[in-house]
Every structure is written in structure tokens, then in C-alpha cells.
Amino acid sequence: MTRTHLIGLLLGTEEDWSGAFEALLAAVNPVIEHDGERHAFTSERVTIEPFDLRMRPRHSLVIDRLAHWYYVPREWIKKVALMDGVYLLNNPFTFQAMEKHSAYCAMMRLGLKVPETWMIPSKQPPADERFAYTASRYNRPFDLGPIAAEIGYPLYMKPFDGGAWVGVSRIRDEAELHARYDDSGRRLMHLQAAVDGFDVFSRSLSIGAETMVMRFEPDRPLHDRYQVQHDFLDAATGHEVVTIGQTVNAFFRWEFNSCETLIRDGEVFPIDYANACPDVSLISLHYYFPWAISALLRWSLYCCATGRQMRVALDADPWFAIGDSDASYEDRLEQYLALTDAYFERERYAEFCARHLAHVDEAMQGYIDSPAFDALLVGTVTRAFPQHEHEHFVAHYRGLLGAWLHDQR
């Protein structure tokens, strides 16, 4: 008897990665014999509609790229995780509770080199008639200037729960500090020390047990931020960057997340790592796009076929025991790595992929070299860029994906 697993794709505006995932799944067409049971796989795009809280979903696993900002699917994925055991790549409960503020706090306790960070009250009060009474009794007056001076210029003002760089400002002096604070309105903000003079900005994208570390240039246009540069970190620094990203993910139960780190004089400073549901578009990732889609497929099939259970509850104690110990920074990282290996079942996953999914990379190469992928590429470019830039960017992305194909072969 064959058990068929339905993988749900919960989407917003994307057509590129989802189309590539569907095409790769069809090309691989996996039927996996595991632990005496046959497993087959199919996928569908999840629709948004009213739902009965006692309904039984058909999905075994859902890849979510929408619920972080849209309330109906957000509540649906929480329901199917709590009541029905549907596997989600990111724990929705820790993602909603562990916004950037809580993520900073937790990783500071683990001893990671998060830059000095302060939280400041919102410039404008909440629209609540009770606030004036509470503020008159309990809000202490403060001067923002001395706080910023203690942190040191330059610094960044950023929303405590933000994403996509919205509301982030680089502050060079007290005049800019007050101007940006005035602009922040009711948003609750952090002040965070800049890691000035850094050597490298890296962004590591993690999908399950796999991580790709990429050189990142945030000031460039979206299509040119990920640089195709191999071995831009030495082995020890690369190991540290991967360990930090996987530590964040295993701690919070996130299996589809990105971590931004700055490297200066050999030290690694994590600055932004609460990015569950990260961007995996062809426009952004280009050369690295085939790896991301292949990793999504491998991890999804592994979780379904092995019956991996989604962990709803956070288990911080083993991590805090290490973070609170007298061990050196390097020793703590190695102990965190052992916890991440156990959480991601790294050895079991590698064996599963070698036995059942060794042909995924070849299937991806065939897809990237196909007219179907070229049509997807052209369609993605024409939706993303003005008409007068279509020819240029079609050639640009064909070149990058052609380079990836050449490197693989």
C-alpha cells in the first residue's frame, strides 16, 4: 500500500519558486520505500477561505510564505499544527512570540556577539484612553541623546518586530537621532550599535539541515544583493556562521530562515536572524535559486516520509544551561552545534538523501536546462522589471543560471 503525502504551498505573490518546486517534484516523481512503507508525494497551492476549527486537513506538510503577514492563513496554520499534526517548516508560535526583540534577548543569553541594543518607548503613545493615566504615574522621562551616546555613533534605529528593512535608519549624530525618532510614530524601536568597518556581510539561508552562506550587499538593488563568490570566508569563520544560523533555527524551531552576520577582524556579529519565511525568489537568489528549491524538496520529502514530528513547544533549558556556563565562546558554539545536529537529525537526513534522493540534483540540472524553466525565468523577469529592462534582465538571469549549470556539471 502506498501512502500519498500532500505538500501545501501557502503563497502570496510568488510564482517563481512555487512553480520551480512543483516542476522539480514532478521531475523527481519520488516513490520512497522507508521503514516498510511506500511513500508518494504531490503538492497543491493552498487557498484562503473560511474553515471549521474541527476540519481535518488533507496536507501532511505546508511550506508557508504568507502567514507571517496575513491573519487568516496565520490562524489556519496554528490550527493545523495544534490539532492535526501537520508539519510546518517554521513553528508559528515561536515566530509570532519571538520577534526580533525576543530573538536578540535569547541569543544574547546564549553568548552570541549581538551588538549593544536598547529598546526605547514609542514616540507617539498608543491610541488608548487609559494610556495617559498610566503614563502620568509610571512612565519615567528620558533623554534619548545620552542613551545613544552610551551606545555610540553610528547606530541603527530599527523596529523591534520589523522585516524587509522597513523603518530601519542609520543614525550618525543626535540631530538624525531625534529626526528619525520623530518619524517612527507608534512603532516600538530598538537602538543598536553599528558594526562599523566590517569586512564582510554574509547572509546564510537555512532550509532544514542544509545551510547556504552567501556574500550579501544590502545597499545594492534587489537583483544584485547576493554576490556569486565562493570561499569568501575562511573555513573557521564559515563554520561559525553556519553554527550561529543553525543555533538560531534549532532553538526557535525554525527550518526555513535566514541569518545576517557581519564579520569584522575575524569576529562574527549576528545582526538580524528572525527571518522565518525568507525570500527565495529567482530575482533575489539567481545563482543560488536551484539549491534553495532542491533543499526545500529534500527536507519536505524527508519530513513526510520519516514521520518527523513538528515540535510546538520551545525547550530552552539545554541551550541556556550551555549559555550560562563558564565554557569559552568556542566551546559553547560546539555544544550548540551538537544540539542542532540532534534537532535536525543530520546524520539520518544525510543517509535518507543518499539512499532515496540522490537524483534530485541531476533532476534540477535538467529542469534548469529546459524550455519550461526558461519560460518561468522570462515570466518572472517581465513581472518584476519595467518593459524597457526585460531584454537586459532576461539575459542577466540566463547568464547566472547558465553559470550555475556549468559549475554543477
Tab-separated table of all heavy atoms in Angstrom, residues 104-156:
chain	number	residue	atom	x	y	z
A	104	TYR	N	16.842	38.666	19.851
A	104	TYR	CA	18.059	39.280	20.374
A	104	TYR	C	18.310	38.831	21.813
A	104	TYR	O	19.428	38.457	22.181
A	104	TYR	CB	17.949	40.806	20.349
A	104	TYR	CG	18.079	41.437	18.993
A	104	TYR	CD1	17.341	42.568	18.666
A	104	TYR	CD2	18.953	40.932	18.038
A	104	TYR	CE1	17.455	43.175	17.424
A	104	TYR	CE2	19.069	41.527	16.794
A	104	TYR	CZ	18.316	42.654	16.491
A	104	TYR	OH	18.431	43.249	15.267
A	105	CYS	N	17.257	38.881	22.630
A	105	CYS	CA	17.420	38.536	24.047
A	105	CYS	C	17.918	37.104	24.216
A	105	CYS	O	18.856	36.836	24.984
A	105	CYS	CB	16.100	38.717	24.787
A	105	CYS	SG	15.500	40.421	24.862
A	106	ALA	N	17.294	36.166	23.507
A	106	ALA	CA	17.664	34.759	23.657
A	106	ALA	C	19.099	34.511	23.222
A	106	ALA	O	19.871	33.818	23.905
A	106	ALA	CB	16.705	33.879	22.860
A	107	MET	N	19.485	35.078	22.078
A	107	MET	CA	20.833	34.817	21.580
A	107	MET	C	21.897	35.563	22.385
A	107	MET	O	23.038	35.116	22.469
A	107	MET	CB	20.925	35.166	20.099
A	107	MET	CG	20.088	34.254	19.210
A	107	MET	SD	20.513	32.477	19.358
A	107	MET	CE	19.011	31.852	20.156
A	108	MET	N	21.538	36.690	22.996
A	108	MET	CA	22.468	37.326	23.930
A	108	MET	C	22.742	36.406	25.108
A	108	MET	O	23.884	36.265	25.560
A	108	MET	CB	21.899	38.662	24.423
A	108	MET	CG	21.963	39.782	23.416
A	108	MET	SD	21.236	41.300	24.112
A	108	MET	CE	21.520	42.456	22.767
A	109	ARG	N	21.692	35.769	25.617
A	109	ARG	CA	21.892	34.854	26.747
A	109	ARG	C	22.752	33.662	26.341
A	109	ARG	O	23.517	33.135	27.167
A	109	ARG	CB	20.550	34.372	27.288
A	109	ARG	CG	20.723	33.463	28.506
A	109	ARG	CD	19.435	33.207	29.229
A	109	ARG	NE	19.635	32.264	30.325
A	109	ARG	CZ	18.674	31.822	31.121
A	109	ARG	NH1	17.422	32.256	30.955
A	109	ARG	NH2	18.932	30.957	32.078
A	110	LEU	N	22.650	33.240	25.081
A	110	LEU	CA	23.499	32.147	24.628
A	110	LEU	C	24.944	32.590	24.395
A	110	LEU	O	25.804	31.760	24.123
A	110	LEU	CB	22.948	31.541	23.339
A	110	LEU	CG	21.595	30.843	23.425
A	110	LEU	CD1	21.358	29.994	22.182
A	110	LEU	CD2	21.454	29.994	24.662
A	111	GLY	N	25.191	33.897	24.494
A	111	GLY	CA	26.558	34.384	24.384
A	111	GLY	C	26.985	34.770	22.989
A	111	GLY	O	28.180	34.997	22.763
A	112	LEU	N	26.034	34.857	22.036
A	112	LEU	CA	26.409	35.305	20.706
A	112	LEU	C	26.719	36.803	20.725
A	112	LEU	O	26.244	37.532	21.598
A	112	LEU	CB	25.286	35.007	19.710
A	112	LEU	CG	24.878	33.540	19.565
A	112	LEU	CD1	23.914	33.370	18.401
A	112	LEU	CD2	26.082	32.624	19.387
A	113	LYS	N	27.491	37.233	19.753
A	113	LYS	CA	28.018	38.609	19.771
A	113	LYS	C	27.043	39.584	19.116
A	113	LYS	O	27.370	40.291	18.157
A	113	LYS	CB	29.378	38.640	19.094
A	113	LYS	CG	30.419	37.780	19.821
A	113	LYS	CD	31.719	37.686	19.049
A	113	LYS	CE	32.702	36.755	19.755
A	113	LYS	NZ	33.980	36.602	18.997
A	114	VAL	N	25.839	39.642	19.671
A	114	VAL	CA	24.832	40.590	19.195
A	114	VAL	C	25.275	41.992	19.608
A	114	VAL	O	25.645	42.206	20.763
A	114	VAL	CB	23.455	40.258	19.801
A	114	VAL	CG1	22.406	41.252	19.319
A	114	VAL	CG2	23.051	38.830	19.451
A	115	PRO	N	25.265	42.969	18.700
A	115	PRO	CA	25.681	44.317	19.074
A	115	PRO	C	24.826	44.899	20.205
A	115	PRO	O	23.683	44.481	20.424
A	115	PRO	CB	25.503	45.122	17.781
A	115	PRO	CG	25.556	44.110	16.695
A	115	PRO	CD	24.948	42.863	17.267
A	116	GLU	N	25.388	45.857	20.917
A	116	GLU	CA	24.673	46.526	22.008
A	116	GLU	C	23.332	47.046	21.509
A	116	GLU	O	23.250	47.729	20.476
A	116	GLU	CB	25.511	47.687	22.538
A	116	GLU	CG	24.960	48.360	23.775
A	116	GLU	CD	25.125	47.509	25.028
A	116	GLU	OE1	25.859	46.496	24.975
A	116	GLU	OE2	24.526	47.854	26.055
A	117	THR	N	22.260	46.720	22.236
A	117	THR	CA	20.911	47.032	21.772
A	117	THR	C	20.061	47.543	22.933
A	117	THR	O	20.071	46.964	24.020
A	117	THR	CB	20.241	45.781	21.162
A	117	THR	OG1	21.087	45.226	20.153
A	117	THR	CG2	18.895	46.123	20.547
A	118	TRP	N	19.354	48.628	22.708
A	118	TRP	CA	18.404	49.185	23.678
A	118	TRP	C	17.021	49.217	23.049
A	118	TRP	O	16.874	49.444	21.843
A	118	TRP	CB	18.785	50.624	24.031
A	118	TRP	CG	19.916	50.775	24.992
A	118	TRP	CD1	21.208	50.364	24.843
A	118	TRP	CD2	19.861	51.452	26.247
A	118	TRP	NE1	21.962	50.727	25.923
A	118	TRP	CE2	21.162	51.395	26.809
A	118	TRP	CE3	18.851	52.101	26.965
A	118	TRP	CZ2	21.474	51.974	28.045
A	118	TRP	CZ3	19.156	52.676	28.195
A	118	TRP	CH2	20.449	52.595	28.731
A	119	MET	N	15.993	49.028	23.887
A	119	MET	CA	14.625	49.290	23.455
A	119	MET	C	14.194	50.640	24.024
A	119	MET	O	14.497	50.974	25.171
A	119	MET	CB	13.665	48.196	23.928
A	119	MET	CG	12.210	48.538	23.647
A	119	MET	SD	11.101	47.126	23.823
A	119	MET	CE	11.343	46.349	22.237
A	120	ILE	N	13.486	51.409	23.194
A	120	ILE	CA	13.003	52.712	23.629
A	120	ILE	C	11.491	52.783	23.447
A	120	ILE	O	10.935	52.168	22.537
A	120	ILE	CB	13.691	53.851	22.850
A	120	ILE	CG1	13.534	53.672	21.348
A	120	ILE	CG2	15.179	53.918	23.221
A	120	ILE	CD1	14.115	54.815	20.526
A	121	PRO	N	10.794	53.511	24.325
A	121	PRO	CA	9.338	53.653	24.177
A	121	PRO	C	8.993	54.316	22.847
A	121	PRO	O	9.770	55.082	22.283
A	121	PRO	CB	8.948	54.551	25.359
A	121	PRO	CG	10.054	54.399	26.345
A	121	PRO	CD	11.295	54.196	25.534
A	122	SER	N	7.816	53.997	22.341
A	122	SER	CA	7.390	54.589	21.072
A	122	SER	C	7.233	56.095	21.224
A	122	SER	O	6.862	56.608	22.287
A	122	SER	CB	6.083	53.955	20.599
A	122	SER	OG	5.104	54.019	21.608
A	123	LYS	N	7.546	56.817	20.151
A	123	LYS	CA	7.481	58.285	20.183
A	123	LYS	C	6.061	58.765	20.428
A	123	LYS	O	5.815	59.675	21.220
A	123	LYS	CB	8.013	58.828	18.847
A	123	LYS	CG	7.885	60.341	18.699
A	123	LYS	CD	8.757	61.088	19.679
A	123	LYS	CE	8.669	62.587	19.441
A	123	LYS	NZ	9.532	63.344	20.362
A	124	GLN	N	5.101	58.176	19.722
A	124	GLN	CA	3.703	58.551	19.908
A	124	GLN	C	3.011	57.506	20.774
A	124	GLN	O	3.240	56.304	20.592
A	124	GLN	CB	2.996	58.657	18.561
A	124	GLN	CG	3.539	59.765	17.670
A	124	GLN	CD	2.825	59.825	16.338
A	124	GLN	OE1	1.763	59.228	16.157
A	124	GLN	NE2	3.406	60.545	15.383
A	125	PRO	N	2.171	57.925	21.688
A	125	PRO	CA	1.513	56.958	22.583
A	125	PRO	C	0.496	56.121	21.838
A	125	PRO	O	0.002	56.502	20.773
A	125	PRO	CB	0.833	57.863	23.621
A	125	PRO	CG	0.610	59.157	22.904
A	125	PRO	CD	1.790	59.309	21.970
A	126	PRO	N	0.162	54.949	22.385
A	126	PRO	CA	-0.890	54.128	21.761
A	126	PRO	C	-2.232	54.831	21.812
A	126	PRO	O	-2.481	55.683	22.684
A	126	PRO	CB	-0.882	52.849	22.611
A	126	PRO	CG	-0.248	53.237	23.896
A	126	PRO	CD	0.722	54.326	23.599
A	127	ALA	N	-3.080	54.484	20.871
A	127	ALA	CA	-4.412	55.099	20.797
A	127	ALA	C	-5.328	54.409	21.796
A	127	ALA	O	-6.218	53.639	21.432
A	127	ALA	CB	-4.954	54.993	19.385
A	128	ASP	N	-5.096	54.675	23.060
A	128	ASP	CA	-5.860	54.036	24.133
A	128	ASP	C	-6.074	55.075	25.230
A	128	ASP	O	-5.115	55.659	25.747
A	128	ASP	CB	-5.081	52.834	24.679
A	128	ASP	CG	-5.899	51.976	25.627
A	128	ASP	OD1	-6.614	52.556	26.482
A	128	ASP	OD2	-5.825	50.744	25.529
A	129	GLU	N	-7.310	55.293	25.587
A	129	GLU	CA	-7.623	56.350	26.555
A	129	GLU	C	-7.017	56.089	27.924
A	129	GLU	O	-6.845	57.013	28.737
A	129	GLU	CB	-9.141	56.503	26.680
A	129	GLU	CG	-9.846	55.247	27.184
A	129	GLU	CD	-11.358	55.392	27.208
A	129	GLU	OE1	-11.875	56.373	26.634
A	129	GLU	OE2	-12.009	54.525	27.816
A	130	ARG	N	-6.632	54.836	28.212
A	130	ARG	CA	-6.050	54.522	29.511
A	130	ARG	C	-4.579	54.894	29.596
A	130	ARG	O	-3.996	54.926	30.681
A	130	ARG	CB	-6.195	53.025	29.792
A	130	ARG	CG	-7.638	52.549	29.903
A	130	ARG	CD	-7.739	51.039	29.885
A	130	ARG	NE	-7.288	50.497	28.601
A	130	ARG	CZ	-7.309	49.211	28.301
A	130	ARG	NH1	-7.725	48.323	29.195
A	130	ARG	NH2	-6.904	48.788	27.121
A	131	PHE	N	-3.971	55.178	28.441
A	131	PHE	CA	-2.530	55.390	28.433
A	131	PHE	C	-2.121	56.620	29.232
A	131	PHE	O	-1.118	56.607	29.959
A	131	PHE	CB	-2.020	55.524	26.997
A	131	PHE	CG	-0.543	55.804	26.925
A	131	PHE	CD1	0.373	54.782	27.086
A	131	PHE	CD2	-0.074	57.098	26.728
A	131	PHE	CE1	1.729	55.029	27.038
A	131	PHE	CE2	1.283	57.361	26.678
A	131	PHE	CZ	2.189	56.324	26.838
A	132	ALA	N	-2.875	57.717	29.114
A	132	ALA	CA	-2.484	58.960	29.781
A	132	ALA	C	-2.359	58.758	31.294
A	132	ALA	O	-1.405	59.253	31.913
A	132	ALA	CB	-3.498	60.060	29.468
A	133	TYR	N	-3.300	58.046	31.888
A	133	TYR	CA	-3.235	57.814	33.341
A	133	TYR	C	-2.013	56.970	33.691
A	133	TYR	O	-1.252	57.297	34.613
A	133	TYR	CB	-4.508	57.117	33.798
A	133	TYR	CG	-4.508	56.778	35.277
A	133	TYR	CD1	-4.844	57.733	36.228
A	133	TYR	CD2	-4.159	55.504	35.711
A	133	TYR	CE1	-4.835	57.433	37.576
A	133	TYR	CE2	-4.134	55.197	37.063
A	133	TYR	CZ	-4.480	56.154	37.997
A	133	TYR	OH	-4.455	55.849	39.334
A	134	THR	N	-1.808	55.886	32.954
A	134	THR	CA	-0.663	55.021	33.217
A	134	THR	C	0.651	55.780	33.036
A	134	THR	O	1.565	55.681	33.857
A	134	THR	CB	-0.692	53.807	32.277
A	134	THR	OG1	-1.897	53.083	32.482
A	134	THR	CG2	0.499	52.892	32.520
A	135	ALA	N	0.738	56.566	31.963
A	135	ALA	CA	1.974	57.306	31.693
A	135	ALA	C	2.258	58.330	32.776
A	135	ALA	O	3.413	58.523	33.185
A	135	ALA	CB	1.873	57.979	30.330
A	136	SER	N	1.212	58.996	33.248
A	136	SER	CA	1.433	60.025	34.276
A	136	SER	C	1.959	59.434	35.569
A	136	SER	O	2.667	60.100	36.324
A	136	SER	CB	0.124	60.783	34.525
A	136	SER	OG	-0.845	59.914	35.118
A	137	ARG	N	1.623	58.189	35.829
A	137	ARG	CA	2.059	57.566	37.083
A	137	ARG	C	3.364	56.798	36.952
A	137	ARG	O	4.153	56.751	37.899
A	137	ARG	CB	0.964	56.608	37.587
A	137	ARG	CG	-0.342	57.298	37.955
A	137	ARG	CD	-1.174	56.433	38.871
A	137	ARG	NE	-0.477	56.114	40.118
A	137	ARG	CZ	-1.008	55.448	41.138
A	137	ARG	NH1	-2.258	55.042	41.044
A	137	ARG	NH2	-0.324	55.188	42.212
A	138	TYR	N	3.595	56.196	35.805
A	138	TYR	CA	4.685	55.212	35.744
A	138	TYR	C	5.743	55.478	34.669
A	138	TYR	O	6.818	54.894	34.753
A	138	TYR	CB	4.104	53.811	35.528
A	138	TYR	CG	3.140	53.405	36.616
A	138	TYR	CD1	1.787	53.252	36.341
A	138	TYR	CD2	3.578	53.230	37.926
A	138	TYR	CE1	0.895	52.897	37.346
A	138	TYR	CE2	2.697	52.878	38.931
A	138	TYR	CZ	1.356	52.723	38.646
A	138	TYR	OH	0.483	52.381	39.634
A	139	ASN	N	5.454	56.263	33.665
A	139	ASN	CA	6.458	56.490	32.630
A	139	ASN	C	7.511	57.470	33.121
A	139	ASN	O	7.191	58.611	33.481
A	139	ASN	CB	5.807	57.042	31.349
A	139	ASN	CG	5.198	55.954	30.510
A	139	ASN	OD1	4.775	54.933	31.042
A	139	ASN	ND2	5.125	56.172	29.216
A	140	ARG	N	8.743	57.043	33.126
A	140	ARG	CA	9.820	57.920	33.559
A	140	ARG	C	10.302	58.750	32.369
A	140	ARG	O	10.516	58.212	31.282
A	140	ARG	CB	10.987	57.113	34.110
A	140	ARG	CG	10.643	56.339	35.361
A	140	ARG	CD	11.849	55.602	35.899
A	140	ARG	NE	12.930	56.525	36.281
A	140	ARG	CZ	14.105	56.132	36.739
A	140	ARG	NH1	14.379	54.829	36.848
A	140	ARG	NH2	15.020	57.015	37.067
A	141	PRO	N	10.480	60.036	32.549
A	141	PRO	CA	11.016	60.847	31.450
A	141	PRO	C	12.445	60.426	31.138
A	141	PRO	O	13.182	59.957	32.011
A	141	PRO	CB	10.969	62.279	32.013
A	141	PRO	CG	10.962	62.111	33.490
A	141	PRO	CD	10.235	60.824	33.765
A	142	PHE	N	12.819	60.543	29.868
A	142	PHE	CA	14.169	60.144	29.473
A	142	PHE	C	14.654	61.049	28.359
A	142	PHE	O	13.865	61.671	27.639
A	142	PHE	CB	14.208	58.679	29.026
A	142	PHE	CG	13.459	58.402	27.763
A	142	PHE	CD1	14.129	58.382	26.538
A	142	PHE	CD2	12.083	58.173	27.761
A	142	PHE	CE1	13.438	58.131	25.348
A	142	PHE	CE2	11.399	57.924	26.588
A	142	PHE	CZ	12.078	57.899	25.377
A	143	ASP	N	15.962	61.110	28.231
A	143	ASP	CA	16.609	61.879	27.177
A	143	ASP	C	17.283	60.880	26.242
A	143	ASP	O	18.156	60.111	26.666
A	143	ASP	CB	17.628	62.839	27.782
A	143	ASP	CG	18.241	63.778	26.741
A	143	ASP	OD1	18.067	63.511	25.535
A	143	ASP	OD2	18.893	64.760	27.139
A	144	LEU	N	16.873	60.876	24.997
A	144	LEU	CA	17.383	59.899	24.047
A	144	LEU	C	18.864	60.118	23.741
A	144	LEU	O	19.591	59.162	23.460
A	144	LEU	CB	16.560	59.971	22.763
A	144	LEU	CG	16.567	58.756	21.838
A	144	LEU	CD1	16.123	57.508	22.578
A	144	LEU	CD2	15.663	59.012	20.639
A	145	GLY	N	19.313	61.366	23.817
A	145	GLY	CA	20.689	61.681	23.459
A	145	GLY	C	21.730	60.924	24.271
A	145	GLY	O	22.638	60.295	23.702
A	146	PRO	N	21.649	60.928	25.601
A	146	PRO	CA	22.637	60.185	26.394
A	146	PRO	C	22.609	58.667	26.153
A	146	PRO	O	23.645	58.011	26.229
A	146	PRO	CB	22.243	60.525	27.839
A	146	PRO	CG	21.554	61.847	27.748
A	146	PRO	CD	20.816	61.806	26.444
A	147	ILE	N	21.417	58.124	25.867
A	147	ILE	CA	21.351	56.690	25.565
A	147	ILE	C	22.128	56.393	24.296
A	147	ILE	O	22.945	55.460	24.233
A	147	ILE	CB	19.881	56.240	25.420
A	147	ILE	CG1	19.139	56.394	26.744
A	147	ILE	CG2	19.805	54.796	24.923
A	147	ILE	CD1	17.652	56.129	26.647
A	148	ALA	N	21.893	57.197	23.265
A	148	ALA	CA	22.612	56.998	22.008
A	148	ALA	C	24.109	57.213	22.193
A	148	ALA	O	24.930	56.488	21.613
A	148	ALA	CB	22.068	57.946	20.943
A	149	ALA	N	24.480	58.199	23.001
A	149	ALA	CA	25.901	58.450	23.241
A	149	ALA	C	26.550	57.259	23.940
A	149	ALA	O	27.707	56.914	23.667
A	149	ALA	CB	26.071	59.718	24.071
A	150	GLU	N	25.812	56.623	24.862
A	150	GLU	CA	26.345	55.442	25.537
A	150	GLU	C	26.534	54.288	24.554
A	150	GLU	O	27.529	53.550	24.630
A	150	GLU	CB	25.414	55.023	26.666
A	150	GLU	CG	25.918	53.817	27.450
A	150	GLU	CD	25.054	53.496	28.661
A	150	GLU	OE1	24.358	54.403	29.151
A	150	GLU	OE2	25.074	52.340	29.110
A	151	ILE	N	25.598	54.113	23.631
A	151	ILE	CA	25.747	53.073	22.608
A	151	ILE	C	26.889	53.435	21.677
A	151	ILE	O	27.705	52.585	21.307
A	151	ILE	CB	24.431	52.908	21.821
A	151	ILE	CG1	23.306	52.429	22.744
A	151	ILE	CG2	24.614	51.917	20.667
A	151	ILE	CD1	21.934	52.465	22.099
A	152	GLY	N	26.929	54.700	21.272
A	152	GLY	CA	27.965	55.178	20.365
A	152	GLY	C	27.477	55.311	18.935
A	152	GLY	O	26.730	54.450	18.453
A	153	TYR	N	27.871	56.401	18.294
A	153	TYR	CA	27.538	56.619	16.880
A	153	TYR	C	28.629	56.013	15.992
A	153	TYR	O	29.786	55.943	16.400
A	153	TYR	CB	27.426	58.116	16.597
A	153	TYR	CG	26.278	58.812	17.295
A	153	TYR	CD1	26.503	59.597	18.423
A	153	TYR	CD2	24.974	58.673	16.830
A	153	TYR	CE1	25.458	60.254	19.073
A	153	TYR	CE2	23.921	59.324	17.466
A	153	TYR	CZ	24.176	60.113	18.584
A	153	TYR	OH	23.128	60.753	19.224
A	154	PRO	N	28.272	55.552	14.787
A	154	PRO	CA	26.919	55.462	14.232
A	154	PRO	C	26.158	54.297	14.859
A	154	PRO	O	26.759	53.363	15.396
A	154	PRO	CB	27.162	55.212	12.746
A	154	PRO	CG	28.470	54.496	12.709
A	154	PRO	CD	29.283	55.065	13.828
A	155	LEU	N	24.841	54.383	14.791
A	155	LEU	CA	23.984	53.317	15.297
A	155	LEU	C	22.785	53.192	14.375
A	155	LEU	O	22.616	53.978	13.446
A	155	LEU	CB	23.565	53.597	16.741
A	155	LEU	CG	22.909	54.945	17.062
A	155	LEU	CD1	21.411	54.929	16.775
A	155	LEU	CD2	23.143	55.322	18.510
A	156	TYR	N	21.977	52.190	14.640
A	156	TYR	CA	20.785	51.962	13.831
A	156	TYR	C	19.540	52.043	14.706
A	156	TYR	O	19.536	51.571	15.853
A	156	TYR	CB	20.829	50.592	13.147
A	156	TYR	CG	21.770	50.557	11.968
A	156	TYR	CD1	23.111	50.217	12.134
A	156	TYR	CD2	21.320	50.896	10.689
A	156	TYR	CE1	23.986	50.207	11.050
A	156	TYR	CE2	22.179	50.893	9.605
A	156	TYR	CZ	23.507	50.544	9.790
A	156	TYR	OH	24.366	50.549	8.726
